[in-house]
Amino acid sequence: MSKSGLPNVTDRASWQAELDALRLREKAHTRAGDALAAARRRLSMVEVDATIPLVGENGRVPLLAAFEGRGQLIAYFHMWHAGHDSAGQCEGCTYFNGQVRELSVLHSRDVTYATLCQGPYEPSVRYRNFMQWDVPWYSAQDSLQALLGDRPTAPSPLVFYVRDGNRVFETYWTSGRGLEPLAPSYGLLDRTVFGRREGWEDQPEGRPEPMWPDDVNPMRINGRPIAQWSRIAAGRDDTLA
């Protein structure tokens, strides 16, 4: 390990040999992920009332409408901190939900992605607009019990639905680190030499200190979710009232 915390320098052939050995483990990890995905596709499903109401840009609509005519729906249940301004909104949801930008590939697979916010429609859609997100946005505030039952609402669940005609079924849900597929930033950082720079990571001795120790929120800087700062710098209005 060098004094700068960088890895040791070696010749290209030796480096490639190390990388080839690691690649075998990476491929095994990928195959294990494929096997898990295959197991998910074989899970049973549970019926959900397709008429459960949501509130969107056209007012009150049934859950079925959130499919936008497609066969499947991926719904992120964005948390909402009632009574807080933009700076006080959920940094985790801002981080994860804000990275879902290009929907055309999902649509080409007959899948709709939508945010079902746990708060009221008007202030939360203003937050969506401040963040310059363009994903479909609904309030599920009055239907959380019907949609989620007794499962935790924090961290926000990501829920997967399929429809058969006018009937709707829930096929899978996840939360916590299961949300990481929403965040390609993590996958990219995991492949850098210093990783995520968070305190929990297994780092070689001598690497730079974590930018976010265990007792510091890695999704918030100077009192705001990290992704908000570029919007503030651009002069965007973050008023929710």
Side-chain angles (χ1 to χ4, degrees), residues 90-222:
C90 179
E91 60 274 9
C93 289
T94 300
Y95 174 75
F96 285 111
N97 199 25
Q99 293 188 63
V100 182
R101 310 299 298 135
E102 179 54 65
L103 302 180
S104 60
V105 174
L106 292 176
H107 292 173
S108 74
R109 267 63 168 187
D110 198 31
V111 177
T112 294
Y113 178 93
T115 297
L116 305 189
C117 186
Q118 298 182 35
Y121 180 75
E122 289 299 335
S124 69
V125 80
R126 282 193 284 274
Y127 185 69
R128 189 275 303 265
N129 294 339
F130 158 63
M131 292 302 301
Q132 298 175 288
W133 300 336
D134 53 8
V135 298
W137 192 276
Y138 302 88
S139 168
Q141 182 180 38
D142 297 332
S143 300
L144 290 176
Q145 180 63 37
L147 287 165
L148 299 179
D150 295 327
R151 82 189 79 178
T153 57
S156 293
L158 183 67
V159 183
F160 296 74
Y161 301 96
V162 68
R163 71 181 181 94
D164 183 10
N166 290 328
R167 299 175 69 188
V168 172
F169 302 87
E170 183 178 341
T171 62
Y172 177 74
W173 75 277
T174 189
S175 188
R177 291 197 67 181
L179 300 178
E180 289 193 1
L182 288 169
S185 294
Y186 273 158
L188 293 171
L189 287 169
D190 285 343
R191 285 156 177 78
T192 67
V193 72
F194 294 148
R196 303 184 190 187
R197 301 291 300 274
E198 297 179 13
W200 62 270
E201 291 179 287
D202 180 359
Q203 291 279 11
E205 186 177 354
R207 290 292 160 92
E209 291 295 315
M211 296 178 69
W212 281 272
D214 288 336
D215 60 348
V216 175
N217 190 328
M219 298 178 181
R220 186 174 282 270
I221 292 178
N222 297 332

Side-chain angles (χ1 to χ4, degrees), residues 59-82:
R60 193 177 176 92
V61 297
L63 174 63
L64 185 64
F67 282 74
E68 297 182 343
R70 299 183 183 92
Q72 296 185 77
L73 170 67
I74 302 172
Y76 182 75
F77 283 78
H78 190 108
M79 288 179 62
W80 188 254
H81 297 328

